[in-house]
């Protein structure tokens, strides 16, 4: 089974998948349960970035939020999620993946409980900040467990296909689940629902994932690098979140970006000099890793904003309820699942690069279609076609990019590679909302100043933002032309790591 000890002879003679070999780990009942568990953890993390959005009006009324402070309910999660992502990934590699994922899940669960029972606005924002930190500990370690437990080739491609489907559909599912819970049990359950699910996750981790050996010595841990990169990431995400409110040309925004540059430059110098760096710069020698992460950052900037502006359009212009808004995304969820399920087969034939480029262009075309929304729009003619086209691209792009970003990465850096990919996602989401909110607001304000009705001005602002989102997807496709073309296996043109990715987690 995939849990057996590694046999060097089997690896060197490449007979693992030949006739007579033992069945793959994914073919076993335990393998399927393990994949389900890992994807459930990812789903928890991904969905909590969007599940609160449709609950915000009820949250504001119940806890007496100001309009300005209400943004910190979604933004607080993104701030610590993105800020601590690299730290979470490296801790998973050094201190043990299961150990760090368990710690993150406990923090995530406790903060969800506090948030669900919050009696003040500050209490809820504090819970969201802690929840994001917990998620940052959970996600990189979870993805690195997946890439090390499921061997390269068929198992890994299938596992990443399921993971990509979860990632692609989670944002839409978050809106749907948020609407169901808010209209049914009340807004507090968008937080409280995490508690029983987290309890099941903790039990599953003990039953299905072996413990790791701790590989880091306290004396060699890169404390300086940890402080610098975490501070830099927190400052960057905070600056991007606040930029639409204070202005891109304000002293606060420029100072925040300059401070981020200084901290990250100091971090790079520290990493070159430290014996045991938090972020070994050698990881960027993995062919195509940096390009893939950059393409993902640019793509997510457009994708995250698409959900944001479409939801605003449905609620504020079409008058949809939270439940109806969430239900409107159901076809997209189904489309993402179908496309993600087909992607592993396509990867085996074409490799990642054609799929990444093609799916980004298809997704951009779908968002371009959605950018034509009118004031008196109808779901069947103005939203559904664009959502279906977008879903086909989304389902492919998440699987292909995740596969490319984790290919040829040594097992002892799997958590770091996962953290880099997910940090790209969080920074991209924050960057996109900052940029496109300014685009939409500028367009809306200009039209209102010209005497246009508010619904028309708002719709035009949303449409302009969606148009720029589609441009970002096209730019991401151009960047991805430079990515490595991999099928999830080590290429002969690259320097393979002699250690197999299939080593069991201990």
């Amino acid at each position: 089974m995939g849990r057996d000890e590694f046999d060097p002879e089997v690896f060197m003679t490449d007979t693992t998948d030949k006739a007579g070999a033992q069945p793959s780990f994914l073919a076993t009942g335990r393998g399927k349960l393990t994949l389900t568990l890992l994807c459930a953890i990812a789903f928890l993390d991904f969905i909590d970035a969007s599940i609160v959005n449709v609950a915000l009006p009820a949250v504001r009324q119940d806890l007496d939020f100001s309009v300005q402070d209400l943004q910190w309910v979604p933004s607080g999660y993104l701030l610590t999620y993105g800020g601590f992502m690299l730290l979470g990934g490296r801790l998973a590699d050094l201190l043990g993946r299961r150990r760090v994922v368990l710690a993150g899940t406990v923090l995530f669960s406790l903060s969800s409980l506090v948030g669900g029972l919050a009696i003040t606005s500050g209490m809820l924002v504090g819970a969201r900040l802690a929840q994001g930190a917990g998620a940052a500990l959970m996600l990189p370690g979870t993805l690195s467990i997946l890439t090390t437990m499921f061997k390269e080739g068929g198992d890994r491609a299938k596992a990443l296909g399921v993971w990509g489907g979860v990632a692609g559909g989670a944002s839409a599912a978050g809106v749907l689940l948020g609407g169901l819970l808010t209209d049914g049990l009340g807004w507090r359950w968008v937080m409280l629902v995490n508690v029983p699910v987290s309890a099941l996750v903790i039990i599953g981790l003990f039953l299905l994932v072996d413990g790791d050996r701790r590989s880091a010595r306290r004396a060699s841990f890169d404390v300086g690098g940890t402080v610098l990169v975490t501070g830099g990431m927190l400052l960057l995400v905070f600056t991007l979140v606040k930029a639409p409110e204070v202005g891109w040309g304000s002293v606060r925004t420029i100072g925040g970006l300059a401070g981020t540059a200084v901290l990250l430059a100091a971090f790079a110098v520290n990493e070159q000099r430290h014996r045991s760096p938090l972020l070994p710069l050698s990881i960027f020698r993995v062919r195509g890793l940096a390009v893939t992460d950059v393409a993902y950052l640019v793509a997510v900037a457009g994708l995250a904003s698409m959900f944001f502006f479409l939801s605003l359009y449905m609620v504020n212009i079409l008058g949809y309820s939270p439940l109806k808004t969430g239900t409107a995304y159901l076809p997209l969820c189904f489309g993402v699942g179908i496309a993600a399920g087909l992607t592993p087969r396509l990867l085996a034939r074409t490799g990642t690069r054609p799929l990444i480029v093609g799916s980004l262009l298809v997704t951009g075309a779908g968002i371009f279609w959605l950018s034509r929304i009118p004031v008196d729009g109808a779901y069947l003619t103005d939203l559904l076609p664009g959502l279906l086209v977008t879903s086909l691209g989304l389902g492919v792009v998440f699987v292909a990019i995740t596969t490319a970003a984790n290919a040829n990465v040594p097992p002892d850096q799997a958590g770091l590679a996962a953290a880099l990919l997910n940090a790209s996602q969080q920074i991209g989401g924050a960057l996109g909302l900052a940029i496109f909110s300014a685009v939409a607001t500028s367009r809306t304000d200009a039209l209102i100043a010209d005497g246009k009705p508010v619904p028309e001005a708002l719709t035009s602002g949303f449409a302009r933002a969606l148009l720029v989102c589609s441009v970002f997807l096209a730019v991401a496709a151009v960047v991805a032309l430079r990515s490595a073309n991999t099928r999830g296996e080590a290429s002969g043109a690259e320097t393979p790591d002699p250690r197999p990715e299939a080593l069991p987690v201990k």
Side-chain angles (χ1 to χ4, degrees), residues 31-47:
K32 291 181 176 67
L33 285 174
T34 301
L35 179 58
T36 301
L37 170 68
L38 298 178
C39 288
I41 298 172
F43 188 76
L44 268 180
D45 283 12
F46 289 136
I47 202 173

Side-chain angles (χ1 to χ4, degrees), residues 450-504:
D450 287 342
K452 299 291 184 182
V454 172
E456 181 180 336
L458 282 172
T459 302
S460 184
F462 300 154
R464 179 67 60 86
L466 289 169
L467 177 62
V468 183
C469 287
S470 69
V471 173
F472 265 57
L473 269 295
V475 171
V478 173
V479 174
L481 287 171
R482 304 283 301 185
S483 65
N485 193 32
T486 175
R487 290 169 174 79
E489 299 175 348
S491 168
E494 295 165 354
T495 304
D497 191 281
R499 294 161 294 185
E501 297 275 338
L503 276 172

Side-chain angles (χ1 to χ4, degrees), residues 176-271:
L176 171 61
L177 186 57
L180 287 170
L181 291 173
T182 302
D183 275 0
L185 299 174
W187 72 264
R188 294 182 181 277
W189 279 94
V190 303
M191 301 286 287
L192 293 175
V193 71
N194 294 323
V195 179
V197 178
S198 296
L200 293 175
V201 163
I202 291 170
I203 294 171
L205 284 168
F206 278 111
L207 293 177
L208 297 171
V209 180
D210 290 341
D212 318 66
R213 291 195 185 99
R214 180 173 174 168
S215 62
R217 295 179 181 176
R218 188 173 300 175
S220 67
F221 190 76
D222 185 7
V223 177
T226 300
V227 173
L228 288 170
V229 74
T230 303
M233 295 289 286
L234 287 170
L235 181 58
L236 174 60
V237 178
F238 178 80
T239 302
L240 292 175
V241 166
K242 297 293 288 184
E245 177 188 338
V246 302
W248 281 95
S250 69
V251 173
R252 184 170 178 174
T253 300
I254 295 173
L257 294 176
T260 298
V262 170
L263 287 171
L264 295 183
F267 170 69
V269 172
N270 178 84
E271 299 309 276

